[in-house]
């Protein structure tokens, strides 16, 4: 007697649908970066960008300098810029242009956004900020950890994971005050740092 094929429903149940397949997870590394869209103009001391309607001049990495020399930016056309920064005394300083890519979409994003992948070091609910420590990145040239001060509403501060957890904090950079203001803080596993080599820290993929 010939066995009949199983019902279609059983075959479908045994065969995972494309949307059920596990997505590949990209590793998250320690990082701290700003991102927004701006026209560029190369100047002797670096690159001139527009931030909140104001022209600012920032330094550039050697890799970006070579790229801009080979492919000068089109005057007046916005590009998506990625900058590294530090927050001595709690405010953003020491901006450095790390990457330039063509802007995607018809509208440029003028408000700078930040992403910080770090270890939660301290929470100051009275003053309304947290301190995250960015550790040396296994893919980067960072040799010493540095702290990033991030301001946040009290309800977000109350919902933070325990100090010592690795997190990704995202939100808005406000150039008028020099503050990073958090919109989200998500506990994540960050790849363990190794001996530094190669390029400086890379940004976390945005969701």
């Amino acid at each position: 007697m010939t066995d009949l094929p199983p019902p279609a429903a059983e075959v479908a149940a045994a065969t995972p649908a494309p949307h059920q397949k596990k997505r590949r997870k990209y590793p998250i590394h320690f990082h701290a970066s700003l991102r927004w869209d701006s026209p560029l103009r190369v100047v002797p001391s670096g690159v001139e960008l527009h931030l909140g309607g104001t022209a600012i001049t920032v330094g550039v990495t050697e890799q970006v300098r070579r790229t801009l020399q080979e492919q000068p930016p089109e005057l007046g056309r916005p590009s998506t810029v990625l900058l590294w920064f530090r927050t001595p005394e709690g405010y953003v300083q020491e901006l450095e242009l790390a990457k330039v890519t063509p802007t995607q979409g018809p509208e440029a994003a003028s408000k700078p956004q930040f992403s910080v992948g770090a270890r939660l070091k301290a929470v100051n609910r009275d003053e309304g900020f947290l301190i995250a420590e960015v550790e040396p990145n296994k893919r980067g040239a960072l040799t010493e950890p540095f702290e990033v001060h991030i301001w946040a509403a009290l309800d977000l501060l109350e919902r933070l994971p325990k100090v010592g957890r690795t997190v990704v904090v995202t939100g808005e950079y406000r150039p008028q005050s020099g503050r990073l203001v958090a919109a989200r803080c998500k506990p994540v596993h960050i790849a363990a740092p190794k001996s530094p080599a190669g390029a400086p820290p890379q940004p976390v993929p945005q969701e």
Side-chain angles (χ1 to χ4, degrees):
M1 181 176 180
T2 305
D3 292 335
L4 295 175
E10 293 183 14
V11 174
T15 306
H19 68 273
Q20 293 177 328
K21 294 181 180 179
K22 291 184 178 180
R23 294 181 179 181
R24 179 182 177 185
K25 292 184 178 180
Y26 292 91
I28 293 175
H29 299 273
F30 289 96
H31 67 277
S33 61
L34 297 175
R35 184 188 300 270
W36 77 92
D37 297 332
S38 171
L40 308 179
R41 187 169 72 92
V42 179
V43 296
S45 56
V47 172
E48 183 182 270
L49 309 173
H50 290 271
L51 178 57
T54 302
I56 62 170
T57 300
V58 301
V60 298
T61 64
E62 285 302 317
Q63 181 179 358
V64 170
R65 187 184 302 277
R66 290 194 298 268
T67 299
L68 294 178
Q69 288 174 344
E70 295 171 0
Q71 298 177 338
E74 184 178 336
L75 187 62
R77 183 171 183 174
S79 299
T80 299
V81 296
L82 180 80
L83 293 98
W84 294 321
F85 63 90
R86 299 291 184 268
T87 57
E89 299 181 0
Y91 302 96
V92 172
Q93 297 180 29
E94 304 174 30
L95 292 173
E96 183 179 36
L97 181 59
K99 188 176 181 180
V100 178
T101 56
T103 297
Q104 302 296 323
E107 296 184 1
S110 59
K111 290 186 178 181
Q113 304 295 309
F114 76 86
S115 177
V116 173
R119 192 175 302 280
L120 185 60
K121 185 174 182 179
V123 180
N124 189 325
R125 293 181 177 85
D126 293 333
E127 297 295 330
F129 66 87
L130 63 94
I131 298 177
E133 184 172 77
V134 180
E135 298 180 6
N137 187 320
K138 73 175 185 178
R139 296 189 303 177
L142 183 66
T143 58
E144 297 291 336
F146 68 94
E147 295 180 355
V148 178
H149 287 59
I150 303 172
W151 304 82
L154 182 59
D155 63 335
L156 190 150
L157 294 174
E158 295 287 355
R159 292 183 282 107
L160 290 176
K162 292 181 179 180
V163 169
R165 278 297 309 271
T166 50
V167 295
V168 169
V169 188
T170 55
E172 183 181 337
Y173 167 51
R174 298 180 181 175
Q176 293 82 4
S177 63
R179 292 182 174 185
L180 302 174
V181 181
R184 287 203 317 164
C185 179
K186 181 179 180 181
V188 296
H189 172 72
I190 295 182
K194 297 180 180 179
S195 299
Q202 302 296 312
V204 64
Q206 298 296 311
E207 295 183 350

